[in-house]
Amino acid sequence: MSYAIYIGRNHSRTSHAWLGGYGDEPSSHWLEIVPAADHPAGATIGVGVGAEADMPGVRSSIPQVGHTLRHMRVSYSYYKGVPAPITNGGVNEKGVAVRDVWSTSRDELIAMTPVDQTGPNYSDLARVALERAGTARAAVEICGALIAEHGESTYGGNSHLFADADEAWVMIQFAGGKGLWVAERLGPDAIRASRPGYVLEVPVDTPDHPDFLWSPNFVSFAREMGWYAGGPFDANTVYGDGKGRWDGVCWIEAEMAERAARAGKIGIEDVIWAVRTERLTGDTAGYGQVVPLVTPADPDLYMMWHAPTGAIAAPFAPVFLGQRDVPAEFGPHRYLTTGESHRFMDLRKAVSGGVDTVSLVPQAAEATRSAVAESKRLMYLLHLLGEDALARATRAFAAREAALAGRTERLQRVVEAALAAGLREDALGLLGEFSASELRAGLDMVMALAGGFAAELSALGPVEARQEPVAFLQLW
């Protein structure tokens, strides 16, 4: 399902907007930085879903552009049969940030979706936006044009939240194979959560409205189906689940509005809290992500704060677009990676004619710690020990992040000066070393906390074997 939250810049202590959230899938997740690339004329990319998807389709190819942008993202290995690697989004060298969030369509649209559907799937759209978009609005326009020309491969309805330093857009793609979509602009006063993504009343009588975009058939198809006869056009009622804002969305939007009303407005600690709170975040959250929507002095200074699993059990650390790579501990591992259960770190079966028998994960990477696996262990210890243990872990993470935010600001000033002086290689090397060191320090904290909590749990006596796992109460 996933989760996104956008905070407009007028609510921000630092006068810039924020985009946070997480991917909500159980398979393996890894952080990666994808370099810019040039592509020859006639190049294509594979998109869509195959016959094995929960809502099947036919894979196809669409034209690649001549140049794709450097970006960083979190990828994962499985969701509803969509071909891996899959992504919910990240941020690119133009400062466009992307989050992908489920948004179900009405039952009739799901039922009419062709079994041979073609066109980009939700991950394809997120990736293409990162590779091509220079603004949030351009991301909507790119996705809309791709859907119009090639169709869309749906799993029942979806949304994206595209954001840049000036504005954000929520785009809903509806099931049905009809190319239906709508997008709403979010300005500097907006506080918007998506889970599911939603757009409510659309001013369909004002086709040039600056805050809305929609597909050419958006109104006519609803009239044709008898779902709309005139008056206010509520997109969620006409094409969605008709539930409007879900309880969790109402709660977090109200909580953030209350924080925005304080004298200090919203800071990074508040956005992290919105992604971490146990009311919203648990075992389903594959990672945490917070992007400050700024315009830095150099594109290599675009950054995001990353937690390797659900942030109730992992601290955030900064990752910069200009660094060359990320530590192997935060890259691909076999833990929860779809298909790895039948593969080996051994070439003998491949040599003897075995098919798909050698692991897709580098052996050197698998020899490192897995940040996801270690953080998951801590999460389950917190669940077993309860609210008090969670509060202690949260205080430790928050204290570390508060100190790290200050160190990160100082580093950015030093790197800006080095870049201005022409010391690019030195500056980018410093960014990478700082990020890698802080990511690993956060992992050390996770493992130390897990060790302490494991000893505490052991001291309390045998843990009763349970058929059902325990968890903190969540609103969704």
Side-chain angles (χ1 to χ4, degrees):
M1 289 177 66
S2 303
Y3 162 50
I5 185 161
Y6 174 78
I7 308 296
R9 65 173 177 264
N10 287 350
H11 299 302
S12 172
R13 182 184 310 149
T14 43
S15 300
H16 62 76
W18 296 91
L19 181 64
Y22 56 71
D24 203 13
E25 305 81 18
S27 70
S28 62
H29 289 75
W30 61 93
L31 176 64
E32 58 184 337
I33 298 174
V34 182
D38 294 315
H39 307 279
T44 62
I45 54 175
V47 298
V49 298
E52 69 282 356
D54 287 16
M55 291 186 67
V58 177
R59 294 280 287 171
S60 61
S61 296
I62 65 172
Q64 179 60 287
V65 295
H67 180 79
T68 50
L69 302 172
R70 183 176 179 87
H71 63 277
M72 52 185 166
R73 67 194 188 202
V74 176
S75 296
Y76 55 104
S77 66
Y78 183 83
Y79 186 67
K80 292 185 178 291
V82 175
I86 312 169
T87 187
N88 295 120
V91 64
N92 72 15
E93 65 180 273
K94 300 295 186 180
V96 177
V98 178
R99 296 244 34 90
D100 173 277
V101 181
W102 166 83
S103 180
T104 191
S105 300
R106 66 185 295 157
D107 292 342
E108 295 93 331
L109 285 172
I110 295 173
M112 72 174 64
T113 302
V115 296
D116 59 350
Q117 62 177 333
T118 59
N121 62 53
Y122 71 93
S123 171
D124 296 327
L125 294 174
R127 185 182 70 253
V128 165
L130 287 170
E131 290 178 341
R132 304 182 184 183
T135 66
R137 182 183 175 112
V140 174
E141 294 169 341
I142 288 167
C143 291
L146 288 175
I147 292 169
E149 183 172 359
H150 304 286
E152 187 218 354
S153 296
T154 187
Y155 63 98
N158 190 67
S159 76
H160 290 86
L161 207 166
F162 304 116
D164 59 33
D166 296 319
E167 62 185 13
W169 287 80
V170 176
M171 182 182 188
I172 315 293
Q173 304 98 22
F174 301 99
K178 304 300 180 181
L180 295 162
W181 60 268
V182 66
E184 178 185 1
R185 177 182 176 272
L186 308 177
D189 293 315
I191 294 176
R192 172 65 70 88
S194 288
R195 186 187 166 105
Y198 70 90
V199 170
L200 302 178
E201 189 169 329
V202 181
V204 294
D205 294 328
T206 311
D208 295 324
H209 197 290
D211 294 336
F212 289 87
L213 297 167
W214 56 81
S215 58
N217 61 344
F218 183 67
V219 180
S220 61
F221 185 77
R223 290 185 185 276
E224 177 186 328
M225 297 300 296
W227 299 338
Y228 174 69
F233 192 110
D234 186 309
N236 181 259
T237 300
V238 174
Y239 287 133
D241 62 9
K243 296 179 181 179
R245 297 161 68 234
W246 282 25
D247 288 346
V249 166
C250 294
W251 178 77
I252 191 61
E253 287 182 352
E255 287 284 330
M256 296 308 280
E258 184 175 332
R259 291 176 180 233
R262 303 172 310 187
K265 298 186 178 181
I266 289 174
I268 185 172
E269 72 281 3
D270 300 299
V271 187
I272 286 176
W273 172 85
V275 178
R276 171 171 288 146
T277 172
E278 74 278 10
R279 299 290 300 277
L280 307 180
T281 303
D283 188 45
T284 62
Y287 58 93
Q289 194 175 98
V290 172
V291 180
L293 296 165
V294 298
T295 305
D298 189 283
D300 282 326
L301 290 172
Y302 282 116
M303 58 90 71
M304 67 184 185
W305 293 84
H306 173 73
T309 190
I312 67 166
F316 284 86
V319 185
F320 297 93
L321 192 57
Q323 64 192 72
R324 295 181 181 86
D325 51 30
V326 298
E329 293 94 327
F330 294 80
H333 282 75
R334 302 185 75 188
Y335 176 75
L336 293 181
T337 295
T338 301
E340 284 296 313
S341 60
H342 66 266
R343 299 186 182 119
F344 301 89
M345 290 282 182
D346 190 327
L347 292 177
R348 286 175 296 173
K349 290 202 173 188
V351 170
S352 62
V355 177
D356 191 30
T357 58
V358 179
S359 175
L360 303 180
V361 178
Q363 191 174 49
E366 195 63 10
T368 68
R369 301 174 294 177
S370 166
V372 172
E374 298 294 347
S375 299
K376 285 287 189 181
R377 180 191 178 214
L378 175 59
M379 182 179 294
Y380 303 141
L381 285 163
L382 295 176
H383 285 155
L384 288 167
L385 286 167
E387 297 285 347
D388 179 66
L390 175 65
R392 284 182 280 148
T394 300
R395 283 196 299 271
F397 291 153
R400 170 175 167 71
E401 289 154 353
L404 180 54
R407 293 199 299 274
T408 301
E409 289 177 3
R410 291 192 292 274
L411 171 79
Q412 288 170 308
R413 289 193 292 270
V414 169
V415 170
E416 283 181 13
L419 289 170
L423 302 174
R424 178 164 295 274
E425 287 303 310
D426 292 337
L428 299 187
L430 185 60
L431 282 180
E433 291 169 8
F434 179 83
S435 176
S437 175
E438 295 298 346
L439 284 164
R440 289 185 173 121
L443 178 54
D444 290 342
M445 171 180 270
V446 164
M447 295 179 70
L449 286 170
F453 284 131
E456 184 176 329
L457 188 64
S458 177
L460 294 174
V463 178
E464 179 184 353
R466 296 183 177 93
Q467 293 299 315
E468 296 183 358
V470 294
F472 303 112
L473 181 64
Q474 288 186 238
L475 288 172
W476 50 45

